[in-house]
Amino acid sequence: MTVPEAVRVCLTPAIDHGLPVVTVLVPAVPTLRRGVTVWVGASTWLAMALAAGPSAAGSWTVAVGLPSLGVVAAAEVGVDLRRLALVEVEVGQWATAVAAAIDSVDVVVAGVPAGLQATVARRLSARARERRSVLIVVERPGAASAGPAWPERADLRLQVERWWWTGLGAGDGHLLRRRATVTVNGREAGGRRRQVDLSMPPGPATVVGERAPSFQPLRRQMWSA
Amino acid sequence: MVGVNTRSLVVWCADWPVTATGHDGDEVPVATVHANRVQACSAAARAGGVRRGLRRREAESRCPGLVVMGADPARDARAFEPVVAVVETIAPRVEVLRPGVCVLATLGPSRYFGGDHALAARVTGLVVGLTGEPAGEPASGLARVRCSVGVADSVFAALLAARTGVGVVAPGATARFLAPLTIASLERPALVDLLDRLGITTLGRLAALERADVTARFGPEGEVAHRLASGLDERALAPRALPPDLVVTAEFDPPASRVDVVTFAAKGLADELHRRLTGIGMACDRVVIEAETEHGERLARVWRSDGPFSPQAMADRMRWQVDGWLSGSAAGRPSAGITLVRLVPDEVVPDNGCQLGFWGGSAAVDERAARGLARLQGLLGPEAVTVAAVVGGRGPREAVARVPWGDERVASPDGMAVAGRPWPGSVPSPAPATVWADPLPIEVTDEAGTPVTVTARLGLSSAPARVDGVEVLSWAGPWPLDQRWWDSAAHQRQARFQVVVASGVAHLLVLEGGRWRLEATYD
């Protein structure tokens, strides 16, 4: 049985109460525990990849405050579009919307607005912990970074230090394969700071996420590499 | 068939299919066509030589400026609703024979208004008044309605009285009125043709025959024709039932400025509406919730649901909507307390119950997510919460369609298979993670600092070396895109480039109309 390499869901033992994580990210994040707050710096793709594991296994995802989200990229990395909702907010309602989303779904990806207060951040983290939802906060792409946008120390902090792309030459080729050097930090990462190389192989044109084993048979897709 | 004869008033609107299209029949030659034959035509078209039953080509050749529209019975019926509604203000039981013709019994109304002539004049005034006073705009969006009214002892005679312009036929004089009319008024082509050839050319001659003989020779159809010609009806009026009152309203005095007051009333309102709907065996899956304040501000929102609404769901949505309004942004917040909330069922379906699935696990998660998203819609507005579907396209932006939560999906669930079909000229995968909602204008220059251009034959002026001052490590392009050349509004002609800049981040650049912009970033 062939399964897309990039989105083979890695299931961890249930005693962890952890959500599954896609294979690509396993070197950096072995498991995603329910109730954590994850800070992702400078990469929307990384946030989507984090959300892809639970999404492919049946969880709902809400993206708040990310108007420039690339939906096709999310689908390619494994997010199930049937269980993804996109919410646009004005600045004043961001916190209310994120809180409402935490109450309803398992994974919330939120683009942090500028000037977020520490109390608000703390309250949202506490709410996520209480409701056992994962809150992934992303630095908004294009935002002028004047210091860390998330004032609290998140449980897990991921920062892309550098991207490496192969496939482009001097006027020929096209982007094929990405590699990222990611710094992992935080309580959830064992308290140590380490750097990991994540390598994402070129995916096929259509990538279908695999459902977690349940009563339905796993879907097989034929594609041309 | 029992011999019933109710004195009836018929309102006949000439050329109703044409009036329903909204064109002014006197000015514009319009014809509606069904199965390639003209079904109805306006007065101007008739002046040009168009008749009912002509072929479409023939009609167009007779009247060159003819506007031809397809027959649409739903549109006709919908457009006739305001007319019936206004006639119903005179008498409650109105029957619609077909769009354009309605009938009411004159016994009560005639006595009330002081005679048949007064009643006819009043009805005519009401219907004509629908389509606008000379100064104002049409109240109902219809073009001018030419209607005439006929009163007689039977519906058939009243219709003929309206069409021939006679108006009111005195009681008892119906048979005398019908006698000289031609047999073709029966509108039964086969029978009429036969009777005509037998020499029975008027209704009077048909009525003069013995009914038993006519029935024996022509069968039931002949009997019906004889009754009509004698001034009797074939059946009693069948008035349409009054629609039950399904709009529920709650008023607040003093005005409510807190959500909990409204919430308390909302539960009662929703229960009442549910009770009325189940009483007629219906359920509603689309409801309009309206709220009004003391100062006249209104907020009305349409809520949809996958299955029929339960009272709890309706009360929840009212609470979210009012909560979102009262605690919303300063611009949208009302300036006074809420005096009125109203629930209007928008789409009502027969109530067949709701079959829940087995293995309720994932259904519970979906249900919780659906409630949460509906609540977000209540707080932020229905357009703020969307779901995306991949519909396929040549660029990262157009490959995706966004649909508000709760709307029927635009794309099939198999969207990725559609995207997998070949789209020649599309940007190859992997797709960019950030597709800028407002693409930024940038400058792309070569080593010497001159802007890079692309000719019509895709010749690059020089290799790009800097993007907004940042050094370019590797690049590829130009990839041309020229789509929808036939539509001047949607025509897109661009050249696309992929570049990797000094920090290692990759971008998708687009050159369109001589200007560069940053379309997407692979972050």
Side-chain angles (χ1 to χ4, degrees):
Chain A
M1 175 182 61
T2 46
V3 167
E5 165 86 36
V7 294
R8 189 174 345 127
V9 168
C10 169
L11 291 177
T12 50
I15 42 174
D16 262 343
H17 303 292
L19 292 168
V21 176
V22 287
T23 320
V24 187
L25 292 187
V26 165
V29 184
T31 178
L32 202 55
R33 200 165 56 91
R34 278 182 181 274
V36 298
T37 305
V38 184
W39 157 253
V40 176
S43 174
T44 317
W45 175 83
L46 195 52
M48 283 291 114
L50 271 175
S55 180
S59 301
W60 279 77
T61 311
V62 172
V64 182
L66 288 170
S68 320
L69 187 69
V71 174
V72 185
E76 276 180 1
V77 86
V79 176
D80 194 339
L81 290 186
R82 291 168 303 183
R83 288 190 290 272
L84 172 69
L86 306 154
V87 178
E88 291 163 20
V89 277
E90 296 160 25
V91 176
Q93 297 170 310
W94 182 85
T96 325
V98 174
I102 291 176
D103 288 341
S104 359
V105 296
D106 286 335
V107 180
V108 179
V109 183
V112 181
L116 186 67
Q117 291 170 340
T119 48
V120 176
R122 213 174 306 137
R123 247 187 292 143
L124 288 176
S125 293
R127 200 184 187 116
R129 205 172 309 128
E130 182 200 346
R131 304 257 193 249
R132 291 163 42 81
S133 307
V134 175
L135 176 63
I136 304 174
V137 281
V138 185
E139 192 178 342
R140 252 207 201 140
S145 52
W150 188 254
E152 270 285 293
R153 286 180 71 80
D155 299 322
L156 182 64
R157 291 191 292 283
L158 302 169
Q159 176 86 26
V160 174
E161 300 292 338
R162 193 164 161 101
W163 283 102
W164 314 85
W165 280 97
T166 53
L168 281 189
D172 58 321
H174 68 91
L175 290 172
L176 262 188
R177 194 179 175 109
R178 70 172 97 212
R179 237 178 68 215
T181 306
V182 176
T183 308
V184 185
N185 219 339
R187 221 178 2 237
E188 283 296 308
R192 288 174 296 119
R193 180 174 193 243
R194 61 183 207 276
Q195 282 208 341
V196 180
D197 264 356
L198 300 178
S199 174
M200 168 102 170
T206 64
V207 170
V208 177
E210 176 194 313
R211 276 176 184 274
S214 63
F215 299 103
Q216 301 125 356
L218 294 169
R219 246 179 303 156
R220 293 152 213 238
Q221 264 278 346
M222 304 292 230
W223 68 88
S224 55
Chain B
M1 289 176 249
V2 183
V4 274
N5 236 10
T6 31
R7 194 160 166 78
S8 322
L9 181 147
V10 166
V11 177
W12 175 71
C13 301
D15 305 322
W16 183 253
V18 165
T19 317
T21 62
H23 290 273
D24 187 355
D26 286 339
E27 309 285 323
V28 182
V30 185
T32 59
V33 162
H34 174 67
N36 214 30
R37 289 200 180 261
V38 171
Q39 178 201 40
C41 50
S42 68
R46 256 198 298 278
V50 178
R51 300 282 175 267
R52 287 178 59 179
L54 281 186
R55 277 221 175 126
R56 177 194 174 136
R57 282 290 168 100
E58 168 92 31
E60 279 175 339
S61 74
R62 285 195 193 184
C63 184
L66 187 68
V67 175
V68 174
M69 307 205 57
D72 187 357
R75 175 186 63 206
D76 301 340
R78 230 181 304 133
F80 198 52
E81 275 301 311
V83 178
V84 180
V86 89
V87 174
E88 266 176 351
T89 59
I90 300 266
R93 283 188 264 278
V94 175
E95 178 184 350
V96 178
L97 290 181
R98 56 178 187 269
V101 182
C102 64
V103 182
L104 58 93
T106 58
L107 188 58
S110 178
R111 236 183 322 197
Y112 182 81
F113 287 106
D116 290 336
H117 289 269
L119 176 64
R122 192 175 178 86
V123 172
T124 316
L126 276 179
V127 174
V128 171
L130 249 194
T131 59
E133 301 65 27
E137 295 183 353
S140 60
L142 293 171
R144 215 171 322 145
V145 170
R146 291 220 297 6
C147 96
S148 64
V149 166
V151 184
D153 287 335
S154 71
V155 173
F156 175 68
L159 184 54
L160 286 176
R163 279 161 72 164
T164 54
V166 167
V168 179
V169 174
T174 308
R176 209 170 36 241
F177 159 70
L178 286 175
L181 299 177
T182 76
I183 197 87
S185 336
L186 283 176
E187 285 185 358
R188 286 168 157 76
L191 182 65
V192 163
D193 188 44
L194 183 53
L195 286 172
D196 207 34
R197 280 186 279 133
L198 286 175
I200 303 173
T201 47
T202 63
L203 290 176
R205 285 201 193 172
L206 179 58
L209 300 172
E210 286 288 334
R211 182 173 308 166
D213 295 336
V214 173
T215 315
R217 173 63 181 84
F218 297 106
E221 207 191 356
E223 179 180 0
V224 167
H226 189 270
R227 289 166 60 82
L228 292 179
S230 322
L232 299 173
D233 270 326
E234 29 171 345
R235 59 168 175 85
L237 280 187
R240 63 181 200 168
L242 288 176
D245 187 12
L246 290 176
V247 176
V248 290
T249 314
E251 295 187 4
F252 300 102
D253 186 17
S257 50
R258 289 201 333 263
V259 181
D260 49 1
V261 179
V262 178
T263 309
F264 186 66
K267 191 71 179 48
L269 268 190
D271 282 337
E272 171 68 23
L273 178 61
H274 189 76
R275 189 186 61 80
R276 288 191 195 180
L277 283 171
T278 49
I280 54 173
M282 303 293 239
C284 104
D285 61 358
R286 209 161 76 180
V287 71
V288 180
I289 300 182
E290 296 174 0
E292 264 178 46
T293 65
E294 213 176 357
H295 289 175
E297 293 145 330
R298 279 185 76 233
L299 178 69
R301 194 166 284 169
V302 180
W303 293 88
R304 282 182 188 79
S305 153
D306 272 334
F309 274 114
S310 66
Q312 179 65 34
M314 273 193 275
D316 276 342
R317 276 153 183 82
M318 185 185 290
R319 179 165 53 87
W320 300 335
Q321 179 175 330
V322 172
D323 191 15
W325 197 24
L326 287 178
S327 59
S329 59
R333 211 177 299 164
S335 56
I338 293 185
T339 48
L340 185 107
V341 285
R342 191 182 292 130
L343 279 179
V344 181
D346 202 27
E347 187 173 306
V348 170
V349 295
D351 190 8
N352 294 327
C354 195
Q355 175 75 20
L356 298 171
F358 286 134
W359 317 120
S362 64
V365 168
D366 289 345
E367 167 93 26
R368 180 174 149 234
R371 278 173 59 88
L373 292 174
R375 182 169 161 228
L376 274 170
Q377 271 188 318
L379 289 173
L380 306 169
E383 303 290 326
V385 181
T386 55
V387 184
V390 176
V391 291
R394 295 195 169 86
R397 196 192 308 280
E398 55 233 22
V400 172
R402 296 217 187 168
V403 176
W405 169 256
D407 265 1
E408 295 89 37
R409 296 295 188 96
V410 164
S412 66
D414 217 12
M416 286 307 272
V418 170
R421 292 199 197 126
W423 285 89
S426 57
V427 177
S429 76
T434 296
V435 178
W436 297 102
D438 315 307
L440 316 165
I442 51 166
E443 280 182 1
V444 179
T445 54
D446 63 3
E447 288 290 346
T450 48
V452 174
T453 56
V454 174
T455 67
R457 288 180 178 273
L458 300 175
L460 204 51
S461 64
S462 42
R466 288 188 177 278
V467 173
D468 266 357
V470 184
E471 193 198 339
V472 168
L473 296 181
S474 53
W475 58 280
W479 299 329
L481 175 70
D482 189 355
Q483 62 178 2
R484 295 212 158 82
W485 49 267
W486 57 88
D487 183 352
S488 57
H491 183 207
Q492 257 186 333
R493 194 150 166 272
Q494 330 170 313
R496 283 147 328 153
F497 287 79
Q498 276 179 343
V499 300
V500 174
V501 293
S503 52
V505 181
H507 296 282
L508 181 68
L509 309 178
V510 165
L511 174 63
E512 185 167 10
R515 282 194 287 275
W516 287 91
R517 62 171 191 264
L518 179 63
E519 180 89 350
T521 301
Y522 293 80
D523 68 347

